[in-house]
Amino acid sequence: MRGYRAFPRCGPLGHDRGGRVGHRLALDHPAAVSALAVLDIVPTRYVFQHADMDFGLGYYHWFFLAAENGIPEHLIGQDPAFWIRTRMGARHGGGTPFDEAAQAEYIRCFSDPAAIHASCEDYRAAASIDLVHDDADAAAGRRVTAPLLALWGAHGFVGRHYDVPEVWRGYADDVRGQALPCDHYLPEEAPDETLRHLRTFLADYGSA
């Protein structure tokens, strides 16, 4: 294929769901991952194992979006802009205000019923087959062996409810972490700090 270039190793960076994809990649293909950065998450398995009332109220969307029979797809599809603006607004505290053009792009993408369905299917997988795989890895003693950087918002649910580096040390061998002065959306709310930490981390470990 013209223009195609294979990269045998990479240093994936992922915010929220993207961080969970990176975590899975590092477990499934450890030789391909030189470093892993996860933004504002702790492992899915840990979250479900330690869910309480605070989590149920603060992260109700984990259960709402995983509901079956097309219920979340139908309800969100009635007013995607309301869903996007209220969810993003509820998880924004401190840092740089959201760029209106960025929010408009989120709304444009989420106005597609297929995008809404795909989002719900991701949460359904997290509450089902993903946990099967995570439990199997834990039982087999498989951990992330690549250096792992965890960044999180000091004002968000993750920062207020978890000892983020300590949680990740239960799943990875080499962990470092840093809270940033923002809520959930690190790249939007604290872009300079996020970029600085990621650049330093990748310079040290990304091409190892």
Side-chain angles (χ1 to χ4, degrees):
M1 182 183 298
R2 182 176 298 175
Y4 174 78
R5 180 182 176 187
F7 293 93
R9 282 171 67 77
C10 62
L13 319 172
H15 173 250
D16 200 331
R17 311 308 292 183
R20 302 185 192 284
V21 173
H23 183 201
R24 189 71 254 165
L25 177 65
L27 290 172
D28 290 341
H29 303 284
V33 176
S34 59
L36 171 64
V38 293
L39 276 59
D40 209 58
I41 64 166
V42 294
T44 305
R45 179 173 179 268
Y46 185 92
V47 170
F48 277 121
Q49 288 182 336
H50 295 82
D52 57 13
M53 187 172 72
D54 285 342
F55 178 79
L57 292 173
Y59 269 41
Y60 69 89
H61 61 286
W62 275 45
F63 306 101
F64 169 62
L65 293 172
E68 298 289 350
N69 301 318
I71 292 171
E73 286 96 333
H74 178 77
L75 295 176
I76 294 171
Q78 301 305 301
D79 193 349
F82 174 81
W83 173 254
I84 292 295
R85 292 189 184 281
T86 53
R87 286 305 300 146
M88 292 183 74
R91 305 176 78 184
H92 173 67
T96 303
F98 288 128
D99 188 300
E100 178 56 36
Q103 278 206 334
E105 181 63 10
Y106 275 105
I107 292 168
R108 184 192 70 79
C109 293
F110 228 65
S111 296
D112 180 354
I116 299 173
H117 178 65
S119 178
C120 293
E121 286 291 283
D122 177 54
Y123 280 85
R124 289 169 185 142
S128 56
I129 189 61
D130 289 355
L131 285 180
V132 172
H133 294 160
D134 289 347
D135 285 341
D137 284 331
R142 284 188 286 270
R143 297 162 55 85
V144 175
T145 55
L148 183 145
L149 171 68
L151 300 176
W152 66 94
H155 307 309
F157 183 92
V158 170
R160 290 183 284 108
H161 287 79
Y162 304 112
D163 182 338
V164 180
E166 187 60 28
V167 171
W168 275 109
R169 289 187 184 105
Y171 291 79
D173 294 340
D174 182 359
V175 177
R176 67 225 63 216
Q178 179 67 49
L180 301 184
C182 60
D183 201 305
H184 176 63
Y185 297 94
L186 278 67
E188 289 88 354
E189 296 180 59
D192 294 338
E193 295 93 333
T194 301
L195 181 60
R196 176 168 53 85
H197 284 289
L198 292 177
R199 278 182 166 169
T200 299
F201 178 64
L202 290 180
D204 290 341
Y205 302 103
S207 60

